[in-house]
């Protein structure tokens, strides 16, 4: 007779857990809607004006949406200072604003559901890089990076590079846009330059446009796309994203199919801003 109450309790616990699991997306949506409706702090608006000129260009409906997404991002994602980097509103707002630019056209308020934390270093950080040489020799060389995005839900950024990337909104170089494009790409696991496409036809079209763009960049340098994009499909997508937001007209003029594919993916047309 002693077995019954624990079994009943277990069943009840399972039911409660299942209900909680079912309600979780609804609860998260409600919370995000509440956060994004809050008045945007004036101090944050001043940081945005000073640090993120790209945000100032947005037409009002997109700008309002950006302010909402920034609040969700900052409430949800922990920022961790590394190597003595202090974390304050300046750091949070500057990074969140640029990361959320990529989400402006999406219909839900989920900010990078896989992202668990943002690590910030004061300057480019040094990481060991392994390279396999002929004869099976492994070469380990330290390399200084402006940013990195991990599939395990982490983005790492150098604050000096974040500031430089944000300050010039027309040079097509922006480390935050770059690393968060990788996060979008890593939504389904490893970055492969094939983000967010669920429909087979869309995926096929995307792959054809990206492969052609990558082949063109490997053949000849581009005025619009950084040569680093020729590394592999994932880097091509991240570099193309930087150009899409910061040099949209130039990208459209030089590679219209690529611009159109990115415009459909992000559901945005930055040439109109
Ligand atoms: Zn990259």
């Amino acid at each position: 007779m002693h077995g019954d109450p624990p079994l009943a309790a277990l069943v009840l616990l399972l039911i409660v857990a299942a209900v909680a699991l079912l309600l979780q997306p609804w609860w998260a949506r409600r919370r995000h809607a509440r956060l994004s409706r809050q008045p945007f702090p004036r101090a944050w608006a001043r940081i945005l004006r000073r640090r993120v000129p790209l945000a100032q260009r947005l037409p009002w409906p997109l700008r309002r949406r950006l302010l909402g997404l920034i609040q969700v991002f900052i409430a949800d994602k922990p920022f961790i200072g590394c190597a003595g980097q202090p974390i304050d509103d300046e750091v949070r707002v500057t990074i969140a604003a640029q990361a959320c630019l990529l989400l402006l056209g999406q219909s839900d308020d989920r900010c990078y559901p896989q992202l668990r934390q943002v690590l910030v270093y004061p300057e480019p950080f040094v990481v060991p890089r392994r390279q396999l040489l002929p004869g099976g020799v492994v070469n380990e060389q330290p390399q200084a990076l402006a940013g990195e995005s991990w599939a395990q839900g982490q983005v790492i950024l150098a604050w000096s590079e974040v500031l430089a990337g944000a300050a010039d909104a027309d040079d097509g170089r922006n480390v935050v846009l770059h690393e968060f494009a990788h996060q979008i790409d890593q939504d389904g696991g490893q970055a492969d330059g094939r983000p967010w496409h669920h429909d087979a036809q869309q995926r096929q079209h995307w792959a054809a446009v990206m492969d052609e763009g990558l082949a063109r960049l490997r053949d000849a340098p581009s005025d619009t796309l950084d040569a680093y994009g020729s590394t592999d499909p994932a880097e091509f997508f991240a570099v193309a994203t930087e150009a899409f937001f910061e040099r949209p007209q130039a990208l459209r003029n030089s590679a219209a199919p690529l611009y159109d594919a990115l415009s459909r993916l992000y559901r945005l047309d930055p040439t109109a801003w």
Side-chain angles (χ1 to χ4, degrees):
M1 287 288 117
H2 290 290
D4 285 351
L7 183 66
L10 189 67
V11 169
L12 188 67
L13 199 68
L14 281 173
I15 291 172
V16 169
V19 170
L21 209 66
L22 283 171
L23 284 177
Q24 208 271 338
W26 170 83
W27 183 82
R29 264 202 308 279
R30 257 181 69 111
R31 182 171 165 275
H32 288 163
R34 183 172 48 76
L35 280 167
S36 61
R37 276 198 308 267
Q38 281 177 357
F40 196 72
R42 284 192 181 176
W44 291 14
R46 281 196 293 274
I47 296 167
L48 204 56
R49 268 199 302 277
R50 200 167 60 242
R51 294 296 189 196
V52 192
L54 197 48
Q56 307 309 312
R57 287 185 198 160
L58 298 174
W60 175 240
L62 287 180
R63 198 171 143 67
R64 191 174 49 194
R65 178 157 165 71
L66 181 68
L67 302 184
L69 285 169
I70 292 171
Q71 306 206 71
V72 173
F73 189 104
I74 290 179
D76 273 3
K77 311 298 179 191
F79 285 71
I80 297 165
C82 305
Q85 171 64 42
I87 297 297
D88 53 17
D89 283 350
E90 187 103 2
V91 172
R92 289 190 197 94
V93 173
T94 306
I95 292 173
Q98 297 176 84
C100 292
L101 278 171
L102 306 186
L103 306 178
L104 283 181
Q106 306 307 311
S107 52
D108 65 30
D109 285 334
R110 296 189 321 151
C111 276
Y112 301 99
Q114 318 284 340
L115 179 70
R116 289 186 292 112
Q117 52 193 209
V118 180
L119 278 67
V120 189
Y121 283 82
E123 299 291 336
F125 46 96
V126 177
V127 290
R129 271 287 173 269
R130 277 168 160 256
Q131 195 188 8
L132 197 61
L133 299 175
V137 178
V138 176
N139 180 23
E140 282 221 357
Q141 288 241 330
Q143 192 184 3
L145 297 179
E148 214 172 30
S149 172
W150 292 358
Q152 296 87 348
Q154 279 160 323
V155 167
I156 306 146
L157 295 162
W159 177 235
S160 60
E161 298 289 325
V162 170
L163 287 176
D168 189 338
D170 300 300
D171 64 353
R173 284 167 172 261
N174 184 306
V175 68
V176 179
L177 297 179
H178 183 107
E179 300 309 334
F180 279 88
H182 283 320
Q183 270 298 304
I184 289 170
D185 197 3
Q186 283 161 332
D187 221 15
Q190 288 303 311
D192 57 1
R194 308 280 189 260
W196 269 353
H197 285 114
H198 304 298
D199 168 295
Q201 206 183 343
Q202 268 184 328
R203 268 206 309 273
Q204 234 172 23
H205 177 71
W206 174 266
V209 172
M210 289 294 138
D211 289 349
E212 209 235 301
L214 177 57
R216 272 181 63 180
L217 187 60
R218 281 179 174 167
D219 277 353
S222 156
D223 291 336
T224 322
L225 298 168
D226 192 294
Y228 184 61
S230 66
T231 311
D232 58 38
E235 295 306 340
F236 183 76
F237 168 58
V239 161
T241 293
E242 292 178 77
F244 177 73
F245 283 95
E246 290 208 341
R247 301 196 63 202
Q249 198 59 57
L251 185 65
R252 187 185 225 170
N253 294 345
S254 61
L258 177 58
Y259 182 87
D260 290 344
L262 289 163
S263 184
R264 272 196 298 276
L265 177 81
Y266 288 118
R267 300 185 193 168
L268 294 169
D269 179 11
T271 58
W273 303 346

